[in-house]
Amino acid sequence: MPVVTAIYVLANVAYFAVVPIKEFLSSDTTGLLFGNKMFGIMAWIIPVSVSLSCFGSVNGLLFTSGRLFFVGARRGDLPVLVSMIHVKNHTPSPSLLFTCLTSLIILCVKDVFALISFFSFGMWLWVAVSITGMMYLRWKKPELKRPFKLALVVPVIFTLCCIFIVVLSFVEAPEHSGYGLLINALGIPVYLLFIYRKNRPKTYIDFMEKATISLQKLMFVVAQETLVGEEETRKQLMSDDRQNQVLESEIENT
């Protein structure tokens, strides 16, 4: 992480050192300007490098987003099908397909800059909320088991940076940020109607059950607990067999 941070900081320092302020502010392709001034005919290296960087970022984001949907479905925040895994490969293929479908819907937005504003605003807003929640739990429930801990100053600084980005988004693009806030707010009635509400209509429950079973057969997926239960049963049977072998051996020796 320190190496990546240092590279990004030095790259921005190089941009400011080479590209004049007026050109820097008037251009949407600062990296390309930097490449033209520094590398001449080899300026194509910059857009290729940026493309590879974006591809790596999207690749990581794809797996993390799929994992978020997978865990959310296990908690009941999404249809149960999204929490299932492939029988043979043990991969959360429904959550990955769900990520793909939602990504394709988002790509229907024609204005790429508006899309970036929507996405960045929502992402940094909920990152700040998530980190704040973790700090709250660390304060209220310090006895909880945690795989690792950081000095409290690290999440505090990170949360302040997230808040700065969210506020700056509103200042620079209030319309796009407002749409992003509205889209996030639309999740509240959806949550109240389909997640929080317990007495759902029987027609809705029957439809979801039939759809889940049909899609399970189509995608060859089952609930993760089923596989875990089978694995634990197998291990228990193996353990019992081993104990029986040891007992028989002791009887023969006596």
Side-chain angles (χ1 to χ4, degrees):
M1 181 61 73
V3 174
V4 175
T5 303
I7 291 174
Y8 272 88
V9 171
L10 291 176
N12 283 275
V13 170
Y15 290 161
F16 283 112
V18 174
V19 181
I21 296 297
K22 290 184 179 180
E23 295 183 24
F24 188 90
L25 295 175
S26 61
S27 176
D28 295 326
T29 56
T30 307
L32 187 58
L33 282 176
F34 176 81
N36 290 331
K37 291 180 178 295
M38 288 295 297
F39 304 114
I41 61 173
M42 298 297 292
W44 57 268
I45 294 176
I46 298 298
V48 170
S49 300
V50 171
S51 300
L52 292 175
S53 177
C54 292
F55 179 80
S57 177
V58 170
N59 182 60
L61 187 62
L62 173 66
F63 287 104
T64 54
S65 299
R67 177 65 180 174
L68 289 174
F69 290 135
F70 175 74
V71 175
R74 286 199 306 182
R75 293 175 55 86
D77 297 332
L78 288 171
V80 67
L81 179 72
V82 183
S83 67
M84 296 184 179
I85 59 177
H86 195 271
V87 173
K88 293 183 179 180
N89 299 326
H90 295 183
T91 54
S93 51
S95 65
L96 294 176
L97 289 174
F98 186 78
T99 305
C100 177
L101 292 175
T102 53
S103 300
L104 292 175
I105 294 172
I106 293 173
L107 288 176
C108 293
V109 179
K110 295 181 180 180
D111 189 351
V112 65
F113 295 103
L115 180 61
I116 293 173
S117 298
F118 295 155
F119 177 78
S120 61
F121 173 81
M123 183 185 70
W124 290 114
L125 173 64
W126 290 110
V127 166
V129 172
S130 300
I131 300 300
T132 303
M134 293 176 67
M135 290 190 291
Y136 176 80
L137 289 175
R138 185 168 175 179
W139 172 46
K140 285 293 186 180
K141 297 183 178 181
E143 74 280 359
L144 292 178
K145 184 179 179 181
R146 294 172 173 84
F148 63 92
K149 287 185 178 180
L150 294 174
L152 194 59
V153 65
V154 177
V156 169
I157 294 176
F158 184 77
T159 303
L160 291 175
C161 292
C162 293
I163 295 173
F164 173 78
I165 294 174
V166 172
V167 173
L168 184 64
S169 299
F170 261 111
V171 174
E172 293 293 327
E175 183 179 356
H176 293 162
S177 299
Y179 287 143
L181 183 62
L182 178 62
I183 292 172
N184 282 271
L186 290 176
I188 297 176
V190 174
Y191 173 80
L192 294 176
L193 288 174
F194 297 101
I195 306 300
Y196 181 78
R197 183 183 178 186
K198 302 304 180 183
N199 54 339
R200 300 165 191 165
K202 187 177 183 301
T203 305
Y204 170 78
I205 296 175
D206 293 340
F207 170 77
M208 291 300 295
E209 288 181 353
K210 292 179 180 179
T212 300
I213 294 173
S214 299
L215 291 173
Q216 274 188 267
K217 295 177 181 178
L218 179 64
M219 293 189 286
F220 206 45
V221 295
V222 294
Q224 185 183 20
E225 288 75 13
T226 303
L227 291 178
V228 172
E230 291 177 354
E231 183 67 16
E232 291 178 351
T233 302
R234 186 181 65 83
K235 289 182 179 180
Q236 184 63 40
L237 290 174
M238 291 177 63
S239 177
D240 293 341
D241 290 341
R242 179 60 179 168
Q243 291 177 0
N244 292 333
Q245 291 177 1
V246 172
L247 182 60
E248 290 174 358
S249 177
E250 290 177 353
I251 293 174
E252 290 177 356
N253 292 333
T254 57

Short mmCIF file of all heavy atoms in Angstrom, two decimals, residues 40-96:
data_model
loop_
_atom_site.label_atom_id
_atom_site.label_comp_id
_atom_site.label_asym_id
_atom_site.label_seq_id
_atom_site.Cartn_x
_atom_site.Cartn_y
_atom_site.Cartn_z
N GLY A 40 7.07 12.20 -26.69
CA GLY A 40 7.00 12.39 -28.14
C GLY A 40 6.22 11.30 -28.83
O GLY A 40 5.05 11.05 -28.52
N ILE A 41 6.89 10.60 -29.78
CA ILE A 41 6.20 9.55 -30.54
C ILE A 41 5.85 8.33 -29.68
O ILE A 41 5.05 7.49 -30.09
CB ILE A 41 7.06 9.09 -31.74
CG1 ILE A 41 8.40 8.52 -31.26
CG2 ILE A 41 7.27 10.24 -32.71
CD1 ILE A 41 9.22 7.91 -32.38
N MET A 42 6.46 8.25 -28.51
CA MET A 42 6.15 7.14 -27.60
C MET A 42 5.05 7.50 -26.61
O MET A 42 4.86 6.82 -25.61
CB MET A 42 7.42 6.73 -26.84
CG MET A 42 8.55 6.24 -27.71
SD MET A 42 8.09 4.73 -28.61
CE MET A 42 7.98 3.57 -27.26
N ALA A 43 4.31 8.56 -26.91
CA ALA A 43 3.26 9.01 -25.99
C ALA A 43 2.15 7.97 -25.83
O ALA A 43 1.39 8.02 -24.86
CB ALA A 43 2.67 10.33 -26.49
N TRP A 44 2.05 7.03 -26.77
CA TRP A 44 1.01 5.99 -26.68
C TRP A 44 1.18 5.13 -25.44
O TRP A 44 0.24 4.42 -25.02
CB TRP A 44 1.03 5.11 -27.92
CG TRP A 44 2.35 4.45 -28.18
CD1 TRP A 44 3.37 4.92 -28.95
CD2 TRP A 44 2.80 3.19 -27.65
NE1 TRP A 44 4.44 4.04 -28.94
CE2 TRP A 44 4.10 2.97 -28.15
CE3 TRP A 44 2.22 2.24 -26.81
CZ2 TRP A 44 4.85 1.85 -27.82
CZ3 TRP A 44 2.96 1.11 -26.48
CH2 TRP A 44 4.24 0.92 -26.99
N ILE A 45 2.37 5.16 -24.83
CA ILE A 45 2.60 4.36 -23.62
C ILE A 45 1.64 4.78 -22.50
O ILE A 45 1.15 3.93 -21.74
CB ILE A 45 4.06 4.52 -23.15
CG1 ILE A 45 5.01 3.91 -24.19
CG2 ILE A 45 4.28 3.88 -21.79
CD1 ILE A 45 6.47 4.10 -23.87
N ILE A 46 1.36 6.09 -22.41
CA ILE A 46 0.51 6.58 -21.32
C ILE A 46 -0.92 6.05 -21.42
O ILE A 46 -1.43 5.46 -20.46
CB ILE A 46 0.52 8.12 -21.29
CG1 ILE A 46 1.94 8.64 -21.01
CG2 ILE A 46 -0.44 8.64 -20.24
CD1 ILE A 46 2.49 8.22 -19.68
N PRO A 47 -1.63 6.22 -22.57
CA PRO A 47 -3.01 5.68 -22.61
C PRO A 47 -3.06 4.16 -22.47
O PRO A 47 -4.01 3.64 -21.87
CB PRO A 47 -3.52 6.14 -23.99
CG PRO A 47 -2.32 6.50 -24.77
CD PRO A 47 -1.31 6.98 -23.79
N VAL A 48 -2.04 3.46 -22.98
CA VAL A 48 -2.02 2.01 -22.81
C VAL A 48 -1.86 1.65 -21.34
O VAL A 48 -2.55 0.76 -20.81
CB VAL A 48 -0.89 1.39 -23.65
CG1 VAL A 48 -0.71 -0.09 -23.30
CG2 VAL A 48 -1.18 1.52 -25.14
N SER A 49 -0.97 2.36 -20.65
CA SER A 49 -0.76 2.11 -19.22
C SER A 49 -2.02 2.43 -18.41
O SER A 49 -2.38 1.69 -17.49
CB SER A 49 0.42 2.94 -18.70
OG SER A 49 1.61 2.62 -19.40
N VAL A 50 -2.67 3.53 -18.77
CA VAL A 50 -3.91 3.89 -18.07
C VAL A 50 -4.98 2.83 -18.31
O VAL A 50 -5.72 2.45 -17.38
CB VAL A 50 -4.39 5.28 -18.54
CG1 VAL A 50 -5.78 5.57 -17.99
CG2 VAL A 50 -3.41 6.36 -18.10
N SER A 51 -5.07 2.32 -19.52
CA SER A 51 -6.06 1.28 -19.83
C SER A 51 -5.80 0.01 -19.02
O SER A 51 -6.73 -0.61 -18.48
CB SER A 51 -6.04 0.96 -21.32
OG SER A 51 -6.35 2.10 -22.09
N LEU A 52 -4.52 -0.37 -18.93
CA LEU A 52 -4.18 -1.56 -18.15
C LEU A 52 -4.48 -1.35 -16.67
O LEU A 52 -4.95 -2.27 -15.98
CB LEU A 52 -2.69 -1.89 -18.34
CG LEU A 52 -2.29 -2.37 -19.73
CD1 LEU A 52 -0.78 -2.55 -19.82
CD2 LEU A 52 -2.99 -3.68 -20.09
N SER A 53 -4.22 -0.15 -16.18
CA SER A 53 -4.53 0.16 -14.78
C SER A 53 -6.03 0.09 -14.52
O SER A 53 -6.48 -0.47 -13.51
CB SER A 53 -4.01 1.56 -14.43
OG SER A 53 -4.36 1.91 -13.12
N CYS A 54 -6.82 0.64 -15.46
CA CYS A 54 -8.28 0.57 -15.32
C CYS A 54 -8.78 -0.87 -15.37
O CYS A 54 -9.68 -1.25 -14.61
CB CYS A 54 -8.95 1.39 -16.42
SG CYS A 54 -8.69 3.17 -16.28
N PHE A 55 -8.17 -1.67 -16.25
CA PHE A 55 -8.57 -3.07 -16.35
C PHE A 55 -8.30 -3.80 -15.05
O PHE A 55 -9.13 -4.58 -14.56
CB PHE A 55 -7.82 -3.75 -17.50
CG PHE A 55 -8.15 -5.20 -17.66
CD1 PHE A 55 -9.30 -5.60 -18.31
CD2 PHE A 55 -7.30 -6.18 -17.16
CE1 PHE A 55 -9.62 -6.94 -18.45
CE2 PHE A 55 -7.61 -7.52 -17.29
CZ PHE A 55 -8.76 -7.91 -17.94
N GLY A 56 -7.13 -3.56 -14.45
CA GLY A 56 -6.82 -4.20 -13.17
C GLY A 56 -7.76 -3.75 -12.06
O GLY A 56 -8.19 -4.56 -11.23
N SER A 57 -8.10 -2.47 -12.06
CA SER A 57 -9.01 -1.95 -11.05
C SER A 57 -10.41 -2.56 -11.21
O SER A 57 -11.04 -2.97 -10.23
CB SER A 57 -9.09 -0.43 -11.16
OG SER A 57 -10.02 0.10 -10.25
N VAL A 58 -10.88 -2.64 -12.45
CA VAL A 58 -12.20 -3.23 -12.70
C VAL A 58 -12.21 -4.70 -12.34
O VAL A 58 -13.20 -5.23 -11.81
CB VAL A 58 -12.60 -3.02 -14.18
CG1 VAL A 58 -13.84 -3.83 -14.52
CG2 VAL A 58 -12.84 -1.55 -14.46
N ASN A 59 -11.11 -5.39 -12.61
CA ASN A 59 -11.02 -6.81 -12.28
C ASN A 59 -11.17 -7.03 -10.77
O ASN A 59 -11.93 -7.91 -10.33
CB ASN A 59 -9.69 -7.36 -12.76
CG ASN A 59 -9.56 -8.86 -12.50
OD1 ASN A 59 -10.34 -9.66 -12.98
ND2 ASN A 59 -8.55 -9.22 -11.71
N GLY A 60 -10.47 -6.22 -9.99
CA GLY A 60 -10.60 -6.34 -8.54
C GLY A 60 -11.98 -5.93 -8.06
O GLY A 60 -12.56 -6.57 -7.16
N LEU A 61 -12.53 -4.88 -8.66
CA LEU A 61 -13.86 -4.41 -8.27
C LEU A 61 -14.93 -5.44 -8.59
O LEU A 61 -15.92 -5.58 -7.85
CB LEU A 61 -14.16 -3.09 -8.99
CG LEU A 61 -15.44 -2.36 -8.58
CD1 LEU A 61 -15.37 -1.95 -7.12
CD2 LEU A 61 -15.65 -1.13 -9.46
N LEU A 62 -14.75 -6.19 -9.68
CA LEU A 62 -15.72 -7.22 -10.05
C LEU A 62 -15.84 -8.27 -8.96
O LEU A 62 -16.95 -8.64 -8.54
CB LEU A 62 -15.30 -7.86 -11.37
CG LEU A 62 -16.11 -9.06 -11.83
CD1 LEU A 62 -17.53 -8.64 -12.14
CD2 LEU A 62 -15.47 -9.73 -13.05
N PHE A 63 -14.70 -8.74 -8.46
CA PHE A 63 -14.73 -9.79 -7.43
C PHE A 63 -15.22 -9.26 -6.09
O PHE A 63 -15.96 -9.95 -5.38
CB PHE A 63 -13.34 -10.41 -7.29
CG PHE A 63 -12.95 -11.29 -8.44
CD1 PHE A 63 -12.05 -10.85 -9.39
CD2 PHE A 63 -13.49 -12.56 -8.58
CE1 PHE A 63 -11.69 -11.66 -10.47
CE2 PHE A 63 -13.14 -13.38 -9.64
CZ PHE A 63 -12.24 -12.93 -10.59
N THR A 64 -14.83 -8.04 -5.73
CA THR A 64 -15.29 -7.49 -4.45
C THR A 64 -16.78 -7.20 -4.50
O THR A 64 -17.50 -7.45 -3.52
CB THR A 64 -14.52 -6.22 -4.10
OG1 THR A 64 -14.62 -5.27 -5.18
CG2 THR A 64 -13.06 -6.52 -3.84
N SER A 65 -17.28 -6.68 -5.62
CA SER A 65 -18.72 -6.41 -5.74
C SER A 65 -19.53 -7.69 -5.68
O SER A 65 -20.57 -7.76 -5.02
CB SER A 65 -19.01 -5.67 -7.04
OG SER A 65 -18.33 -4.43 -7.09
N GLY A 66 -19.05 -8.73 -6.38
CA GLY A 66 -19.74 -10.01 -6.32
C GLY A 66 -19.78 -10.57 -4.91
O GLY A 66 -20.79 -11.14 -4.48
N ARG A 67 -18.69 -10.39 -4.17
CA ARG A 67 -18.65 -10.85 -2.78
C ARG A 67 -19.64 -10.07 -1.92
O ARG A 67 -20.30 -10.64 -1.04
CB ARG A 67 -17.23 -10.69 -2.24
CG ARG A 67 -17.05 -11.08 -0.79
CD ARG A 67 -17.29 -12.54 -0.55
NE ARG A 67 -17.12 -12.89 0.86
CZ ARG A 67 -17.38 -14.09 1.36
NH1 ARG A 67 -17.80 -15.06 0.57
NH2 ARG A 67 -17.21 -14.33 2.65
N LEU A 68 -19.76 -8.76 -2.15
CA LEU A 68 -20.71 -7.95 -1.38
C LEU A 68 -22.15 -8.42 -1.62
O LEU A 68 -22.93 -8.54 -0.67
CB LEU A 68 -20.56 -6.48 -1.77
CG LEU A 68 -19.29 -5.77 -1.30
CD1 LEU A 68 -19.22 -4.36 -1.88
CD2 LEU A 68 -19.24 -5.72 0.22
N PHE A 69 -22.50 -8.67 -2.87
CA PHE A 69 -23.84 -9.17 -3.17
C PHE A 69 -24.07 -10.53 -2.53
O PHE A 69 -25.16 -10.82 -2.02
CB PHE A 69 -24.05 -9.25 -4.68
CG PHE A 69 -24.14 -7.92 -5.36
CD1 PHE A 69 -23.46 -7.67 -6.54
CD2 PHE A 69 -24.91 -6.90 -4.83
CE1 PHE A 69 -23.54 -6.45 -7.17
CE2 PHE A 69 -25.00 -5.67 -5.45
CZ PHE A 69 -24.31 -5.44 -6.62
N PHE A 70 -23.04 -11.38 -2.57
CA PHE A 70 -23.13 -12.72 -2.01
C PHE A 70 -23.42 -12.67 -0.51
O PHE A 70 -24.32 -13.34 0.00
CB PHE A 70 -21.82 -13.46 -2.30
CG PHE A 70 -21.71 -14.81 -1.67
CD1 PHE A 70 -22.43 -15.89 -2.17
CD2 PHE A 70 -20.88 -15.02 -0.58
CE1 PHE A 70 -22.33 -17.15 -1.59
CE2 PHE A 70 -20.78 -16.27 0.01
CZ PHE A 70 -21.51 -17.33 -0.50
N VAL A 71 -22.66 -11.86 0.21
CA VAL A 71 -22.85 -11.74 1.66
C VAL A 71 -24.18 -11.06 1.98
O VAL A 71 -24.88 -11.45 2.92
CB VAL A 71 -21.67 -10.97 2.29
CG1 VAL A 71 -21.91 -10.73 3.78
CG2 VAL A 71 -20.36 -11.73 2.09
N GLY A 72 -24.53 -10.02 1.19
CA GLY A 72 -25.80 -9.36 1.42
C GLY A 72 -26.99 -10.29 1.26
O GLY A 72 -27.96 -10.23 2.02
N ALA A 73 -26.91 -11.19 0.28
CA ALA A 73 -27.99 -12.16 0.07
C ALA A 73 -28.06 -13.16 1.22
O ALA A 73 -29.14 -13.59 1.62
CB ALA A 73 -27.79 -12.88 -1.25
N ARG A 74 -26.91 -13.54 1.77
CA ARG A 74 -26.92 -14.46 2.91
C ARG A 74 -27.58 -13.82 4.13
O ARG A 74 -28.16 -14.51 4.97
CB ARG A 74 -25.49 -14.87 3.26
CG ARG A 74 -24.89 -15.85 2.29
CD ARG A 74 -23.71 -16.57 2.87
NE ARG A 74 -22.69 -15.67 3.39
CZ ARG A 74 -21.54 -16.07 3.91
NH1 ARG A 74 -21.27 -17.35 3.98
NH2 ARG A 74 -20.67 -15.20 4.35
N ARG A 75 -27.50 -12.49 4.23
CA ARG A 75 -28.13 -11.77 5.34
C ARG A 75 -29.60 -11.45 5.07
O ARG A 75 -30.27 -10.86 5.91
CB ARG A 75 -27.37 -10.47 5.62
CG ARG A 75 -25.95 -10.68 6.16
CD ARG A 75 -25.22 -9.35 6.28
NE ARG A 75 -25.99 -8.42 7.09
CZ ARG A 75 -25.92 -8.35 8.41
NH1 ARG A 75 -25.14 -9.18 9.08
NH2 ARG A 75 -26.63 -7.47 9.08
N GLY A 76 -30.09 -11.81 3.88
CA GLY A 76 -31.48 -11.58 3.56
C GLY A 76 -31.77 -10.26 2.89
O GLY A 76 -32.94 -9.89 2.72
N ASP A 77 -30.74 -9.52 2.48
CA ASP A 77 -30.94 -8.22 1.84
C ASP A 77 -31.15 -8.34 0.33
O ASP A 77 -31.51 -7.35 -0.31
CB ASP A 77 -29.73 -7.31 2.10
CG ASP A 77 -29.56 -7.01 3.58
OD1 ASP A 77 -30.58 -7.03 4.30
OD2 ASP A 77 -28.43 -6.77 4.03
N LEU A 78 -30.93 -9.51 -0.24
CA LEU A 78 -31.13 -9.77 -1.66
C LEU A 78 -31.79 -11.13 -1.81
O LEU A 78 -31.84 -11.91 -0.84
CB LEU A 78 -29.79 -9.73 -2.40
CG LEU A 78 -29.13 -8.36 -2.59
CD1 LEU A 78 -27.71 -8.53 -3.13
CD2 LEU A 78 -29.95 -7.47 -3.50
N PRO A 79 -32.31 -11.46 -2.99
CA PRO A 79 -32.91 -12.78 -3.17
C PRO A 79 -31.94 -13.90 -2.79
O PRO A 79 -30.73 -13.80 -3.01
CB PRO A 79 -33.23 -12.81 -4.68
CG PRO A 79 -33.44 -11.37 -5.03
CD PRO A 79 -32.49 -10.60 -4.18
N VAL A 80 -32.48 -14.97 -2.22
CA VAL A 80 -31.65 -16.04 -1.70
C VAL A 80 -30.80 -16.69 -2.79
O VAL A 80 -29.72 -17.24 -2.52
CB VAL A 80 -32.54 -17.09 -1.00
CG1 VAL A 80 -33.44 -17.79 -2.02
CG2 VAL A 80 -31.71 -18.10 -0.25
N LEU A 81 -31.25 -16.63 -4.04
CA LEU A 81 -30.49 -17.23 -5.14
C LEU A 81 -29.09 -16.63 -5.24
O LEU A 81 -28.12 -17.33 -5.57
CB LEU A 81 -31.25 -17.03 -6.45
CG LEU A 81 -30.57 -17.58 -7.71
CD1 LEU A 81 -30.61 -19.10 -7.70
CD2 LEU A 81 -31.22 -17.03 -8.97
N VAL A 82 -28.96 -15.34 -4.96
CA VAL A 82 -27.67 -14.65 -5.09
C VAL A 82 -26.66 -15.18 -4.07
O VAL A 82 -25.45 -15.05 -4.25
CB VAL A 82 -27.86 -13.13 -4.94
CG1 VAL A 82 -26.56 -12.38 -5.15
CG2 VAL A 82 -28.91 -12.63 -5.93
N SER A 83 -27.14 -15.80 -2.99
CA SER A 83 -26.23 -16.32 -1.95
C SER A 83 -25.79 -17.76 -2.22
O SER A 83 -25.09 -18.34 -1.40
CB SER A 83 -26.92 -16.27 -0.59
OG SER A 83 -28.02 -17.17 -0.54
N MET A 84 -26.18 -18.33 -3.35
CA MET A 84 -25.86 -19.72 -3.64
C MET A 84 -24.55 -19.84 -4.41
O MET A 84 -24.07 -18.87 -5.00
CB MET A 84 -27.00 -20.37 -4.42
CG MET A 84 -28.30 -20.42 -3.62
SD MET A 84 -29.61 -21.29 -4.52
CE MET A 84 -30.93 -21.18 -3.31
N ILE A 85 -23.99 -21.04 -4.37
CA ILE A 85 -22.71 -21.30 -5.04
C ILE A 85 -22.86 -22.52 -5.95
O ILE A 85 -23.75 -23.35 -5.77
CB ILE A 85 -21.57 -21.54 -4.03
CG1 ILE A 85 -21.90 -22.72 -3.12
CG2 ILE A 85 -21.31 -20.30 -3.21
CD1 ILE A 85 -20.79 -23.06 -2.14
N HIS A 86 -21.97 -22.59 -6.93
CA HIS A 86 -22.00 -23.69 -7.89
C HIS A 86 -21.66 -25.00 -7.20
O HIS A 86 -20.76 -25.06 -6.34
CB HIS A 86 -21.01 -23.41 -9.02
CG HIS A 86 -21.22 -24.26 -10.22
ND1 HIS A 86 -20.62 -25.50 -10.37
CD2 HIS A 86 -21.98 -24.08 -11.34
CE1 HIS A 86 -20.98 -26.03 -11.52
NE2 HIS A 86 -21.81 -25.19 -12.13
N VAL A 87 -22.36 -26.05 -7.58
CA VAL A 87 -22.21 -27.34 -6.91
C VAL A 87 -20.79 -27.90 -7.08
O VAL A 87 -20.18 -28.39 -6.13
CB VAL A 87 -23.25 -28.34 -7.44
CG1 VAL A 87 -22.99 -29.73 -6.88
CG2 VAL A 87 -24.65 -27.89 -7.08
N LYS A 88 -20.25 -27.82 -8.29
CA LYS A 88 -18.94 -28.42 -8.56
C LYS A 88 -17.79 -27.45 -8.31
O LYS A 88 -16.77 -27.81 -7.72
CB LYS A 88 -18.90 -28.93 -10.00
CG LYS A 88 -19.84 -30.11 -10.26
CD LYS A 88 -19.68 -30.61 -11.69
CE LYS A 88 -20.58 -31.81 -11.95
NZ LYS A 88 -20.45 -32.32 -13.35
N ASN A 89 -17.93 -26.22 -8.79
CA ASN A 89 -16.83 -25.27 -8.71
C ASN A 89 -16.77 -24.50 -7.39
O ASN A 89 -15.76 -23.87 -7.08
CB ASN A 89 -16.92 -24.26 -9.86
CG ASN A 89 -16.84 -24.93 -11.21
OD1 ASN A 89 -16.14 -25.92 -11.38
ND2 ASN A 89 -17.56 -24.40 -12.18
N HIS A 90 -17.86 -24.53 -6.63
CA HIS A 90 -17.95 -23.81 -5.35
C HIS A 90 -17.71 -22.31 -5.52
O HIS A 90 -17.13 -21.66 -4.64
CB HIS A 90 -16.97 -24.39 -4.33
CG HIS A 90 -17.28 -25.79 -3.93
ND1 HIS A 90 -16.58 -26.49 -2.98
CD2 HIS A 90 -18.23 -26.67 -4.39
CE1 HIS A 90 -17.07 -27.71 -2.86
NE2 HIS A 90 -18.08 -27.84 -3.72
N THR A 91 -18.12 -21.75 -6.63
CA THR A 91 -17.97 -20.32 -6.90
C THR A 91 -19.34 -19.65 -6.82
O THR A 91 -20.35 -20.24 -7.19
CB THR A 91 -17.38 -20.08 -8.29
OG1 THR A 91 -18.17 -20.78 -9.26
CG2 THR A 91 -15.95 -20.57 -8.36
N PRO A 92 -19.41 -18.40 -6.34
CA PRO A 92 -20.70 -17.69 -6.24
C PRO A 92 -21.15 -17.16 -7.60
O PRO A 92 -21.26 -15.95 -7.81
CB PRO A 92 -20.39 -16.57 -5.25
CG PRO A 92 -18.95 -16.28 -5.46
CD PRO A 92 -18.30 -17.59 -5.79
N SER A 93 -21.42 -18.06 -8.52
CA SER A 93 -21.77 -17.65 -9.88
C SER A 93 -23.03 -16.79 -9.96
O SER A 93 -23.07 -15.84 -10.76
CB SER A 93 -21.92 -18.88 -10.79
OG SER A 93 -22.77 -19.84 -10.21
N PRO A 94 -24.09 -17.01 -9.14
CA PRO A 94 -25.25 -16.11 -9.23
C PRO A 94 -24.91 -14.67 -8.87
O PRO A 94 -25.40 -13.74 -9.51
CB PRO A 94 -26.24 -16.73 -8.23
CG PRO A 94 -25.86 -18.16 -8.15
CD PRO A 94 -24.37 -18.17 -8.28
N SER A 95 -24.08 -14.48 -7.84
CA SER A 95 -23.73 -13.11 -7.46
C SER A 95 -22.88 -12.44 -8.53
O SER A 95 -23.01 -11.23 -8.78
CB SER A 95 -22.99 -13.10 -6.13
OG SER A 95 -21.75 -13.76 -6.23
N LEU A 96 -22.03 -13.20 -9.21
CA LEU A 96 -21.22 -12.63 -10.29
C LEU A 96 -22.11 -12.26 -11.48
O LEU A 96 -21.90 -11.22 -12.12
CB LEU A 96 -20.14 -13.62 -10.72
CG LEU A 96 -19.05 -13.91 -9.68
CD1 LEU A 96 -18.11 -14.99 -10.18
CD2 LEU A 96 -18.27 -12.65 -9.36
#
